[in-house]
Amino acid sequence: MSAVMVARKAPRRWEKLPGKNTFCCDGRVMMARQKGVFYLTLFLIVGTCSLFFAFECPYLAVHLSPAIPVFAVVLFLFVMAMLLRTSFSDPGVLPRALPAEATFIEMEIEAANGNVPAGQRPPPRIRNVQINNQIVKLKYCYTCKIFRPPRASHCGICDNCVERFDHHCPWVGNCVGKRNYRYFYLFTLSLSLLTIYIFTFDIVHVVLRSVDSGFVNTLKETPGTVLEVLVCFFTLWSVVGLTGFHTYLISLNQTTNEDIKGSWSGKNRVQNPYSHRNIIKNCCEVLCGPVYPSVLDRRGLMVETPNPPISTTATKNSDPDPQNTKTTAPLIPNEHTPDDTKPSIAPSPEKSSPKEPPPPSLGDTGETAPVKEKSF
Protein backbone atom coordinates (compact mmCIF):
# COMPACT_ATOMS: atom_id res chain seq x y z
CA MET A 1 0.00 0.00 0.00
CA SER A 2 1.70 3.17 -1.18
CA ALA A 3 1.79 6.17 1.10
CA VAL A 4 0.15 9.31 -0.22
CA MET A 5 2.28 12.40 0.33
CA VAL A 6 0.29 15.60 0.79
CA ALA A 7 2.30 18.67 -0.20
CA ARG A 8 1.85 21.40 2.39
CA LYS A 9 2.39 24.94 1.23
CA ALA A 10 5.20 26.68 3.08
CA PRO A 11 4.01 29.68 5.12
CA ARG A 12 4.92 33.22 4.16
CA ARG A 13 7.23 35.28 6.32
CA TRP A 14 4.53 37.81 7.16
CA GLU A 15 2.58 35.06 8.93
CA LYS A 16 5.43 34.57 11.43
CA LEU A 17 6.54 38.17 11.87
CA PRO A 18 6.41 39.43 15.48
CA GLY A 19 4.95 42.78 16.34
CA LYS A 20 1.46 44.23 16.44
CA ASN A 21 0.68 44.60 12.75
CA THR A 22 -2.06 43.31 10.48
CA PHE A 23 -1.46 42.08 6.94
CA CYS A 24 -3.82 41.81 3.98
CA CYS A 25 -3.59 40.69 0.36
CA ASP A 26 -1.03 37.98 1.14
CA GLY A 27 1.32 40.35 2.96
CA ARG A 28 1.19 43.18 0.42
CA VAL A 29 -0.71 45.49 2.80
CA MET A 30 0.81 46.23 6.21
CA MET A 31 -0.95 48.32 8.85
CA ALA A 32 -1.21 48.74 12.60
CA ARG A 33 -3.86 46.84 14.51
CA GLN A 34 -5.60 50.01 15.68
CA LYS A 35 -7.37 51.22 12.53
CA GLY A 36 -10.46 52.96 13.93
CA VAL A 37 -9.13 56.50 13.42
CA PHE A 38 -8.00 55.57 9.91
CA TYR A 39 -11.58 54.68 8.99
CA LEU A 40 -12.68 58.03 10.41
CA THR A 41 -10.16 59.77 8.13
CA LEU A 42 -11.56 57.96 5.11
CA PHE A 43 -15.11 58.85 6.09
CA LEU A 44 -14.34 62.56 6.53
CA ILE A 45 -12.47 62.90 3.23
CA VAL A 46 -14.85 60.83 1.10
CA GLY A 47 -17.96 62.26 2.75
CA THR A 48 -16.93 65.91 2.41
CA CYS A 49 -15.86 65.50 -1.22
CA SER A 50 -19.07 63.62 -2.06
CA LEU A 51 -21.18 66.50 -0.72
CA PHE A 52 -19.06 68.97 -2.68
CA PHE A 53 -19.49 67.01 -5.92
CA ALA A 54 -23.23 66.62 -5.36
CA PHE A 55 -24.24 70.18 -4.31
CA GLU A 56 -21.60 72.70 -5.43
CA CYS A 57 -19.92 71.27 -8.52
CA PRO A 58 -23.01 71.23 -10.83
CA TYR A 59 -23.78 74.88 -10.10
CA LEU A 60 -20.16 76.05 -10.29
CA ALA A 61 -19.49 74.18 -13.54
CA VAL A 62 -22.36 76.03 -15.25
CA HIS A 63 -21.98 79.52 -13.76
CA LEU A 64 -18.19 79.73 -13.41
CA SER A 65 -16.07 77.09 -15.17
CA PRO A 66 -16.22 73.32 -15.83
CA ALA A 67 -12.58 73.11 -14.78
CA ILE A 68 -13.56 73.52 -11.11
CA PRO A 69 -15.00 70.00 -10.62
CA VAL A 70 -12.29 68.49 -12.83
CA PHE A 71 -9.49 69.94 -10.71
CA ALA A 72 -11.35 68.87 -7.55
CA VAL A 73 -11.55 65.26 -8.80
CA VAL A 74 -7.82 65.20 -9.64
CA LEU A 75 -6.91 66.63 -6.24
CA PHE A 76 -9.22 64.17 -4.47
CA LEU A 77 -7.69 61.17 -6.25
CA PHE A 78 -4.18 62.36 -5.40
CA VAL A 79 -5.10 62.73 -1.72
CA MET A 80 -6.55 59.22 -1.60
CA ALA A 81 -3.54 57.75 -3.38
CA MET A 82 -1.09 59.33 -0.92
CA LEU A 83 -3.22 58.29 2.06
CA LEU A 84 -3.40 54.65 0.97
CA ARG A 85 0.26 54.61 0.02
CA THR A 86 1.19 55.84 3.49
CA SER A 87 -1.19 53.51 5.33
CA PHE A 88 -0.57 50.28 3.42
CA SER A 89 3.23 50.37 3.12
CA ASP A 90 6.07 49.19 5.32
CA PRO A 91 7.36 52.29 7.14
CA GLY A 92 10.83 50.78 7.51
CA VAL A 93 10.42 48.06 10.13
CA LEU A 94 13.69 46.41 11.14
CA PRO A 95 13.73 42.62 11.58
CA ARG A 96 14.43 41.28 15.03
CA ALA A 97 17.59 39.36 15.82
CA LEU A 98 17.56 35.60 15.48
CA PRO A 99 18.23 33.56 18.66
CA ALA A 100 21.82 32.87 17.60
CA GLU A 101 22.42 36.53 16.77
CA ALA A 102 20.88 37.67 20.06
CA THR A 103 23.10 35.25 22.01
CA PHE A 104 26.20 36.50 20.20
CA ILE A 105 25.30 40.14 20.94
CA GLU A 106 24.73 39.30 24.61
CA MET A 107 28.16 37.65 24.78
CA GLU A 108 29.77 40.72 23.21
CA ILE A 109 28.04 43.01 25.71
CA GLU A 110 29.07 40.87 28.68
CA ALA A 111 32.66 40.73 27.45
CA ALA A 112 32.76 44.50 27.01
CA ASN A 113 31.16 45.35 30.37
CA GLY A 114 32.99 42.73 32.42
CA ASN A 115 31.73 41.44 35.75
CA VAL A 116 29.29 43.83 37.37
CA PRO A 117 29.25 43.63 41.20
CA ALA A 118 26.06 42.40 42.81
CA GLY A 119 23.59 45.16 43.59
CA GLN A 120 25.19 47.56 41.12
CA ARG A 121 23.33 48.66 38.01
CA PRO A 122 25.00 47.53 34.76
CA PRO A 123 26.18 50.24 32.37
CA PRO A 124 23.83 51.28 29.54
CA ARG A 125 24.04 49.25 26.38
CA ILE A 126 25.18 51.74 23.76
CA ARG A 127 27.62 51.90 20.90
CA ASN A 128 29.22 54.98 19.42
CA VAL A 129 29.53 55.62 15.69
CA GLN A 130 30.88 58.62 13.87
CA ILE A 131 28.67 60.42 11.34
CA ASN A 132 30.02 63.55 9.65
CA ASN A 133 32.74 63.93 12.28
CA GLN A 134 30.23 63.69 15.11
CA ILE A 135 29.67 60.90 17.62
CA VAL A 136 26.17 59.37 17.52
CA LYS A 137 25.02 56.81 20.09
CA LEU A 138 23.33 53.58 19.02
CA LYS A 139 20.95 52.31 21.68
CA TYR A 140 20.19 48.67 22.35
CA CYS A 141 16.58 47.49 21.99
CA TYR A 142 15.69 44.88 24.61
CA THR A 143 12.63 43.78 22.61
CA CYS A 144 14.21 43.33 19.18
CA LYS A 145 17.62 42.32 20.61
CA ILE A 146 19.51 44.63 18.26
CA PHE A 147 21.48 47.85 18.35
CA ARG A 148 19.18 50.29 16.57
CA PRO A 149 20.64 52.14 13.57
CA PRO A 150 20.95 55.94 13.73
CA ARG A 151 17.57 57.76 13.90
CA ALA A 152 15.70 54.50 14.49
CA SER A 153 13.33 54.05 17.43
CA HIS A 154 10.98 51.42 18.83
CA CYS A 155 7.26 52.10 18.36
CA GLY A 156 5.29 51.02 21.41
CA ILE A 157 2.02 50.74 19.46
CA CYS A 158 3.29 48.57 16.60
CA ASP A 159 5.98 46.93 18.81
CA ASN A 160 8.64 47.25 16.10
CA CYS A 161 11.85 49.16 15.57
CA VAL A 162 11.35 51.57 12.67
CA GLU A 163 14.22 53.07 10.70
CA ARG A 164 14.26 56.90 10.69
CA PHE A 165 11.22 56.84 12.95
CA ASP A 166 9.17 60.04 12.79
CA HIS A 167 6.00 59.23 14.75
CA HIS A 168 3.03 56.88 14.87
CA CYS A 169 0.06 58.53 13.18
CA PRO A 170 -3.36 57.08 14.12
CA TRP A 171 -5.01 59.12 11.32
CA VAL A 172 -3.24 56.99 8.70
CA GLY A 173 -3.21 53.82 10.82
CA ASN A 174 0.51 53.24 10.52
CA CYS A 175 3.94 54.38 11.62
CA VAL A 176 5.66 57.12 9.64
CA GLY A 177 9.27 56.29 8.93
CA LYS A 178 11.96 56.08 6.33
CA ARG A 179 9.95 54.38 3.59
CA ASN A 180 6.65 56.30 3.76
CA TYR A 181 7.52 59.75 5.15
CA ARG A 182 7.47 61.50 1.77
CA TYR A 183 4.03 60.07 1.00
CA PHE A 184 2.79 61.21 4.41
CA TYR A 185 4.03 64.73 3.74
CA LEU A 186 2.46 64.78 0.27
CA PHE A 187 -0.78 63.55 1.83
CA THR A 188 -0.89 66.37 4.38
CA LEU A 189 0.11 68.94 1.75
CA SER A 190 -2.50 67.82 -0.81
CA LEU A 191 -5.17 67.48 1.90
CA SER A 192 -4.49 71.08 2.95
CA LEU A 193 -4.93 72.24 -0.65
CA LEU A 194 -8.10 70.19 -1.03
CA THR A 195 -9.56 71.56 2.21
CA ILE A 196 -8.79 75.15 1.19
CA TYR A 197 -10.19 74.50 -2.30
CA ILE A 198 -13.51 73.09 -1.04
CA PHE A 199 -13.86 75.72 1.68
CA THR A 200 -13.23 78.57 -0.80
CA PHE A 201 -15.69 77.38 -3.42
CA ASP A 202 -18.31 76.65 -0.76
CA ILE A 203 -18.22 80.34 0.15
CA VAL A 204 -18.31 81.32 -3.54
CA HIS A 205 -21.30 79.05 -4.10
CA VAL A 206 -23.22 80.55 -1.18
CA VAL A 207 -22.45 84.11 -2.31
CA LEU A 208 -23.56 83.51 -5.92
CA ARG A 209 -26.80 81.86 -4.85
CA SER A 210 -27.51 84.53 -2.24
CA VAL A 211 -27.53 87.21 -4.94
CA ASP A 212 -30.49 85.56 -6.65
CA SER A 213 -32.51 83.89 -3.86
CA GLY A 214 -31.17 85.34 -0.62
CA PHE A 215 -28.86 83.96 2.04
CA VAL A 216 -31.48 82.10 4.09
CA ASN A 217 -33.09 80.46 1.07
CA THR A 218 -29.65 79.40 -0.17
CA LEU A 219 -28.91 77.61 3.09
CA LYS A 220 -32.27 75.84 2.90
CA GLU A 221 -31.72 74.74 -0.68
CA THR A 222 -28.16 73.43 -0.06
CA PRO A 223 -28.01 71.94 3.46
CA GLY A 224 -24.84 70.05 2.58
CA THR A 225 -22.96 73.29 2.13
CA VAL A 226 -23.33 74.20 5.81
CA LEU A 227 -21.94 70.82 6.84
CA GLU A 228 -19.02 71.15 4.42
CA VAL A 229 -18.14 74.63 5.68
CA LEU A 230 -18.11 73.43 9.31
CA VAL A 231 -15.96 70.37 8.55
CA CYS A 232 -13.50 72.33 6.43
CA PHE A 233 -13.29 75.18 8.93
CA PHE A 234 -12.29 72.95 11.86
CA THR A 235 -10.09 70.67 9.72
CA LEU A 236 -8.28 73.50 8.01
CA TRP A 237 -6.35 74.72 11.04
CA SER A 238 -5.07 71.33 12.14
CA VAL A 239 -4.14 70.06 8.66
CA VAL A 240 -2.50 73.27 7.52
CA GLY A 241 -0.66 73.59 10.84
CA LEU A 242 0.59 69.99 10.57
CA THR A 243 1.79 70.60 7.02
CA GLY A 244 3.65 73.74 8.10
CA PHE A 245 5.30 71.91 10.99
CA HIS A 246 6.59 69.11 8.76
CA THR A 247 7.76 71.63 6.18
CA TYR A 248 9.87 73.17 8.93
CA LEU A 249 11.27 69.74 9.88
CA ILE A 250 12.10 68.87 6.28
CA SER A 251 13.98 72.12 5.83
CA LEU A 252 16.18 71.10 8.79
CA ASN A 253 16.34 67.39 7.84
CA GLN A 254 14.93 66.51 11.24
CA THR A 255 12.26 64.10 12.47
CA THR A 256 9.35 64.66 14.84
CA ASN A 257 10.90 62.24 17.32
CA GLU A 258 14.19 64.15 17.32
CA ASP A 259 12.39 67.48 17.67
CA ILE A 260 10.34 66.32 20.66
CA LYS A 261 13.37 64.81 22.41
CA GLY A 262 15.52 67.83 21.60
CA SER A 263 18.28 65.65 20.16
CA TRP A 264 19.98 68.50 18.27
CA SER A 265 19.06 71.44 20.48
CA GLY A 266 18.60 72.44 24.09
CA LYS A 267 21.05 71.21 26.71
CA ASN A 268 23.02 68.98 24.37
CA ARG A 269 24.09 71.81 22.07
CA VAL A 270 24.91 69.22 19.43
CA GLN A 271 24.65 70.04 15.74
CA ASN A 272 22.47 67.89 13.52
CA PRO A 273 24.91 65.63 11.63
CA TYR A 274 22.31 64.81 8.96
CA SER A 275 21.61 68.40 7.92
CA HIS A 276 23.33 69.83 4.83
CA ARG A 277 23.02 73.40 6.18
CA ASN A 278 20.98 74.13 3.06
CA ILE A 279 17.18 74.13 2.82
CA ILE A 280 17.07 73.03 -0.81
CA LYS A 281 19.49 70.13 -0.25
CA ASN A 282 17.57 68.98 2.83
CA CYS A 283 14.26 69.06 0.97
CA CYS A 284 15.74 67.20 -2.00
CA GLU A 285 17.17 64.48 0.24
CA VAL A 286 13.90 63.88 2.07
CA LEU A 287 11.43 64.26 -0.81
CA CYS A 288 13.48 63.33 -3.88
CA GLY A 289 15.83 60.68 -2.51
CA PRO A 290 15.76 57.02 -3.54
CA VAL A 291 12.92 54.75 -2.41
CA TYR A 292 14.52 52.18 -0.13
CA PRO A 293 13.39 48.56 -0.40
CA SER A 294 11.82 46.76 2.52
CA VAL A 295 14.15 44.57 4.57
CA LEU A 296 11.39 42.32 5.89
CA ASP A 297 10.74 40.23 2.74
CA ARG A 298 7.13 39.83 3.88
CA ARG A 299 6.06 37.59 1.00
CA GLY A 300 9.09 35.31 1.11
CA LEU A 301 8.61 31.64 1.94
CA MET A 302 9.69 30.22 5.27
CA VAL A 303 12.39 27.56 4.87
CA GLU A 304 11.71 24.67 7.18
CA THR A 305 14.32 21.90 7.53
CA PRO A 306 12.50 18.56 8.03
CA ASN A 307 13.78 16.25 10.75
CA PRO A 308 15.10 12.88 9.46
CA PRO A 309 12.99 9.82 10.41
CA ILE A 310 14.29 7.74 13.31
CA SER A 311 14.11 3.95 13.02
CA THR A 312 12.73 2.16 16.07
CA THR A 313 14.78 -0.99 15.47
CA ALA A 314 18.00 0.93 15.13
CA THR A 315 17.22 2.81 18.28
CA LYS A 316 16.68 -0.36 20.28
CA ASN A 317 19.89 -1.95 18.98
CA SER A 318 22.01 1.15 19.42
CA ASP A 319 20.84 2.12 22.90
CA PRO A 320 22.59 -0.10 25.49
CA ASP A 321 21.10 -1.03 28.81
CA PRO A 322 22.04 1.72 31.23
CA GLN A 323 22.11 -0.72 34.16
CA ASN A 324 24.76 -3.00 32.58
CA THR A 325 26.94 -0.22 31.16
CA LYS A 326 29.93 1.39 32.81
CA THR A 327 31.76 4.45 31.71
CA THR A 328 35.36 3.70 30.85
CA ALA A 329 36.42 7.16 29.68
CA PRO A 330 37.65 9.59 32.31
CA LEU A 331 35.36 12.51 33.08
CA ILE A 332 38.28 14.91 33.40
CA PRO A 333 41.03 15.10 30.75
CA ASN A 334 44.42 13.55 31.66
CA GLU A 335 42.82 11.61 34.49
CA HIS A 336 43.46 7.88 34.89
CA THR A 337 40.57 5.49 34.70
CA PRO A 338 39.69 3.91 38.07
CA ASP A 339 40.70 0.29 38.49
CA ASP A 340 37.17 -0.89 39.11
CA THR A 341 36.02 0.53 35.77
CA LYS A 342 38.85 -0.96 33.68
CA PRO A 343 37.69 -3.78 31.41
CA SER A 344 39.17 -7.24 32.14
CA ILE A 345 39.39 -10.30 29.90
CA ALA A 346 38.78 -12.97 32.56
CA PRO A 347 35.68 -12.84 34.70
CA SER A 348 36.27 -11.46 38.14
CA PRO A 349 36.33 -14.16 40.83
CA GLU A 350 33.79 -14.13 43.55
CA LYS A 351 34.96 -12.64 46.78
CA SER A 352 35.67 -15.32 49.43
CA SER A 353 35.19 -14.91 53.12
CA PRO A 354 38.34 -13.99 55.10
CA LYS A 355 40.34 -17.00 56.43
CA GLU A 356 41.18 -17.49 60.11
CA PRO A 357 44.75 -16.58 60.95
CA PRO A 358 47.14 -19.51 61.69
CA PRO A 359 48.15 -20.20 65.31
CA PRO A 360 50.98 -17.99 66.46
CA SER A 361 54.48 -19.55 66.44
CA LEU A 362 57.13 -19.29 69.21
CA GLY A 363 59.90 -18.11 66.98
CA ASP A 364 62.57 -20.18 65.20
CA THR A 365 62.52 -23.14 67.70
CA GLY A 366 59.74 -24.85 65.82
CA GLU A 367 57.59 -25.21 68.92
CA THR A 368 53.95 -24.36 68.83
CA ALA A 369 51.82 -22.87 71.52
CA PRO A 370 50.22 -25.32 73.97
CA VAL A 371 46.64 -26.28 73.34
CA LYS A 372 44.29 -26.82 76.23
CA GLU A 373 42.77 -30.25 76.44
CA LYS A 374 39.21 -30.88 77.21
CA SER A 375 38.52 -32.30 80.65
CA PHE A 376 36.14 -35.19 81.01
mmCIF file of all heavy atoms in Angstrom, residues 5-7 10 54 93 104 107 127 130 154 168 184 200 235 251 295 320 338 346 367:
data_model
loop_
_atom_site.group_PDB
_atom_site.id
_atom_site.type_symbol
_atom_site.label_atom_id
_atom_site.label_comp_id
_atom_site.label_asym_id
_atom_site.label_seq_id
_atom_site.Cartn_x
_atom_site.Cartn_y
_atom_site.Cartn_z
ATOM 1 N N MET A 5 1.618 11.218 -0.216
ATOM 2 C CA MET A 5 2.278 12.400 0.332
ATOM 3 C C MET A 5 1.466 13.625 -0.022
ATOM 4 O O MET A 5 1.185 13.877 -1.198
ATOM 5 C CB MET A 5 3.690 12.542 -0.230
ATOM 6 C CG MET A 5 4.593 11.352 0.078
ATOM 7 S SD MET A 5 4.837 11.121 1.847
ATOM 8 C CE MET A 5 5.755 12.592 2.207
ATOM 9 N N VAL A 6 1.055 14.382 0.983
ATOM 10 C CA VAL A 6 0.292 15.599 0.790
ATOM 11 C C VAL A 6 1.245 16.785 0.902
ATOM 12 O O VAL A 6 1.865 17.001 1.942
ATOM 13 C CB VAL A 6 -0.844 15.721 1.824
ATOM 14 C CG1 VAL A 6 -1.615 17.017 1.612
ATOM 15 C CG2 VAL A 6 -1.753 14.514 1.748
ATOM 16 N N ALA A 7 1.390 17.522 -0.178
ATOM 17 C CA ALA A 7 2.301 18.667 -0.202
ATOM 18 C C ALA A 7 1.674 19.835 0.547
ATOM 19 O O ALA A 7 0.597 20.306 0.194
ATOM 20 C CB ALA A 7 2.611 19.076 -1.636
ATOM 21 N N ALA A 10 4.373 26.022 2.060
ATOM 22 C CA ALA A 10 5.201 26.679 3.079
ATOM 23 C C ALA A 10 4.599 28.022 3.437
ATOM 24 O O ALA A 10 4.117 28.753 2.570
ATOM 25 C CB ALA A 10 6.627 26.861 2.560
ATOM 26 N N ALA A 54 -21.785 66.739 -5.160
ATOM 27 C CA ALA A 54 -23.234 66.623 -5.356
ATOM 28 C C ALA A 54 -23.931 67.984 -5.338
ATOM 29 O O ALA A 54 -24.878 68.204 -6.115
ATOM 30 C CB ALA A 54 -23.822 65.720 -4.270
ATOM 31 N N VAL A 93 10.277 48.916 8.957
ATOM 32 C CA VAL A 93 10.421 48.056 10.134
ATOM 33 C C VAL A 93 11.699 47.235 10.009
ATOM 34 O O VAL A 93 12.000 46.668 8.953
ATOM 35 C CB VAL A 93 9.192 47.136 10.270
ATOM 36 C CG1 VAL A 93 9.388 46.156 11.414
ATOM 37 C CG2 VAL A 93 7.940 47.970 10.499
ATOM 38 N N PHE A 104 24.870 35.956 20.514
ATOM 39 C CA PHE A 104 26.199 36.503 20.202
ATOM 40 C C PHE A 104 26.323 37.949 20.677
ATOM 41 O O PHE A 104 27.357 38.349 21.219
ATOM 42 C CB PHE A 104 26.441 36.401 18.691
ATOM 43 C CG PHE A 104 27.789 36.940 18.265
ATOM 44 C CD1 PHE A 104 28.943 36.229 18.487
ATOM 45 C CD2 PHE A 104 27.873 38.178 17.642
ATOM 46 C CE1 PHE A 104 30.184 36.719 18.095
ATOM 47 C CE2 PHE A 104 29.094 38.684 17.252
ATOM 48 C CZ PHE A 104 30.262 37.952 17.474
ATOM 49 N N MET A 107 26.790 38.011 24.400
ATOM 50 C CA MET A 107 28.156 37.649 24.779
ATOM 51 C C MET A 107 29.110 38.818 24.551
ATOM 52 O O MET A 107 30.008 39.069 25.369
ATOM 53 C CB MET A 107 28.600 36.428 23.977
ATOM 54 C CG MET A 107 27.846 35.149 24.303
ATOM 55 S SD MET A 107 28.288 33.784 23.208
ATOM 56 C CE MET A 107 30.047 33.674 23.507
ATOM 57 N N ARG A 127 26.434 51.911 21.747
ATOM 58 C CA ARG A 127 27.618 51.903 20.896
ATOM 59 C C ARG A 127 27.745 53.270 20.239
ATOM 60 O O ARG A 127 26.739 53.910 19.942
ATOM 61 C CB ARG A 127 27.535 50.812 19.830
ATOM 62 C CG ARG A 127 27.718 49.394 20.363
ATOM 63 C CD ARG A 127 27.598 48.379 19.259
ATOM 64 N NE ARG A 127 27.832 47.030 19.735
ATOM 65 C CZ ARG A 127 27.713 45.940 18.971
ATOM 66 N NH1 ARG A 127 27.367 46.061 17.694
ATOM 67 N NH2 ARG A 127 27.942 44.744 19.482
ATOM 68 N N GLN A 130 30.550 57.275 14.303
ATOM 69 C CA GLN A 130 30.880 58.622 13.872
ATOM 70 C C GLN A 130 30.188 58.922 12.550
ATOM 71 O O GLN A 130 30.343 58.186 11.572
ATOM 72 C CB GLN A 130 32.399 58.784 13.722
ATOM 73 C CG GLN A 130 32.833 60.218 13.478
ATOM 74 C CD GLN A 130 34.341 60.365 13.487
ATOM 75 O OE1 GLN A 130 35.058 59.382 13.613
ATOM 76 N NE2 GLN A 130 34.823 61.586 13.367
ATOM 77 N N HIS A 154 11.955 52.504 18.658
ATOM 78 C CA HIS A 154 10.977 51.423 18.828
ATOM 79 C C HIS A 154 9.598 52.025 19.059
ATOM 80 O O HIS A 154 9.401 52.848 19.952
ATOM 81 C CB HIS A 154 11.366 50.540 20.006
ATOM 82 C CG HIS A 154 10.569 49.265 20.085
ATOM 83 N ND1 HIS A 154 10.952 48.097 19.442
ATOM 84 C CD2 HIS A 154 9.401 48.977 20.713
ATOM 85 C CE1 HIS A 154 10.069 47.153 19.677
ATOM 86 N NE2 HIS A 154 9.110 47.665 20.453
ATOM 87 N N HIS A 168 4.136 57.769 15.210
ATOM 88 C CA HIS A 168 3.027 56.883 14.871
ATOM 89 C C HIS A 168 1.777 57.734 14.701
ATOM 90 O O HIS A 168 1.344 58.412 15.630
ATOM 91 C CB HIS A 168 2.811 55.826 15.955
ATOM 92 C CG HIS A 168 1.705 54.866 15.624
ATOM 93 N ND1 HIS A 168 1.936 53.678 14.953
ATOM 94 C CD2 HIS A 168 0.368 54.924 15.845
ATOM 95 C CE1 HIS A 168 0.774 53.050 14.781
ATOM 96 N NE2 HIS A 168 -0.182 53.787 15.317
ATOM 97 N N PHE A 184 3.560 60.578 3.343
ATOM 98 C CA PHE A 184 2.794 61.206 4.407
ATOM 99 C C PHE A 184 2.798 62.726 4.249
ATOM 100 O O PHE A 184 1.761 63.385 4.420
ATOM 101 C CB PHE A 184 3.375 60.812 5.770
ATOM 102 C CG PHE A 184 2.798 61.570 6.923
ATOM 103 C CD1 PHE A 184 1.554 61.239 7.434
ATOM 104 C CD2 PHE A 184 3.493 62.631 7.506
ATOM 105 C CE1 PHE A 184 1.007 61.948 8.499
ATOM 106 C CE2 PHE A 184 2.962 63.333 8.566
ATOM 107 C CZ PHE A 184 1.715 62.994 9.056
ATOM 108 N N THR A 200 -13.130 77.330 -0.016
ATOM 109 C CA THR A 200 -13.232 78.567 -0.803
ATOM 110 C C THR A 200 -14.426 78.538 -1.743
ATOM 111 O O THR A 200 -15.220 79.506 -1.804
ATOM 112 C CB THR A 200 -11.931 78.784 -1.603
ATOM 113 O OG1 THR A 200 -10.828 78.844 -0.700
ATOM 114 C CG2 THR A 200 -12.002 80.066 -2.413
ATOM 115 N N THR A 235 -11.190 71.509 10.218
ATOM 116 C CA THR A 235 -10.094 70.671 9.725
ATOM 117 C C THR A 235 -8.948 71.508 9.192
ATOM 118 O O THR A 235 -7.779 71.094 9.253
ATOM 119 C CB THR A 235 -10.619 69.723 8.626
ATOM 120 O OG1 THR A 235 -11.738 68.994 9.118
ATOM 121 C CG2 THR A 235 -9.543 68.748 8.189
ATOM 122 N N SER A 251 12.956 71.114 6.138
ATOM 123 C CA SER A 251 13.983 72.120 5.828
ATOM 124 C C SER A 251 15.212 71.966 6.707
ATOM 125 O O SER A 251 16.318 72.357 6.316
ATOM 126 C CB SER A 251 13.404 73.524 5.993
ATOM 127 O OG SER A 251 13.044 73.766 7.352
ATOM 128 N N VAL A 295 13.211 45.590 4.116
ATOM 129 C CA VAL A 295 14.154 44.567 4.568
ATOM 130 C C VAL A 295 13.452 43.391 5.221
ATOM 131 O O VAL A 295 14.118 42.470 5.716
ATOM 132 C CB VAL A 295 15.175 45.177 5.557
ATOM 133 C CG1 VAL A 295 16.018 46.222 4.868
ATOM 134 C CG2 VAL A 295 14.472 45.773 6.771
ATOM 135 N N PRO A 320 22.274 0.975 24.536
ATOM 136 C CA PRO A 320 22.585 -0.100 25.492
ATOM 137 C C PRO A 320 21.786 0.060 26.764
ATOM 138 O O PRO A 320 21.191 1.083 27.030
ATOM 139 C CB PRO A 320 24.095 0.097 25.742
ATOM 140 C CG PRO A 320 24.303 1.560 25.527
ATOM 141 C CD PRO A 320 23.334 1.971 24.463
ATOM 142 N N PRO A 338 39.642 4.715 36.837
ATOM 143 C CA PRO A 338 39.691 3.913 38.073
ATOM 144 C C PRO A 338 39.841 2.441 37.755
ATOM 145 O O PRO A 338 39.414 1.948 36.709
ATOM 146 C CB PRO A 338 38.361 4.236 38.759
ATOM 147 C CG PRO A 338 37.941 5.536 38.160
ATOM 148 C CD PRO A 338 38.455 5.523 36.770
ATOM 149 N N ALA A 346 39.346 -11.870 31.778
ATOM 150 C CA ALA A 346 38.784 -12.973 32.559
ATOM 151 C C ALA A 346 37.728 -12.453 33.490
ATOM 152 O O ALA A 346 37.796 -11.317 33.947
ATOM 153 C CB ALA A 346 39.905 -13.650 33.376
ATOM 154 N N GLU A 367 58.617 -24.796 67.970
ATOM 155 C CA GLU A 367 57.588 -25.209 68.916
ATOM 156 C C GLU A 367 56.342 -24.378 68.673
ATOM 157 O O GLU A 367 56.400 -23.229 68.284
ATOM 158 C CB GLU A 367 58.081 -25.006 70.344
ATOM 159 C CG GLU A 367 59.286 -25.865 70.672
ATOM 160 C CD GLU A 367 59.735 -25.664 72.105
ATOM 161 O OE1 GLU A 367 59.069 -24.841 72.787
ATOM 162 O OE2 GLU A 367 60.719 -26.260 72.511
#
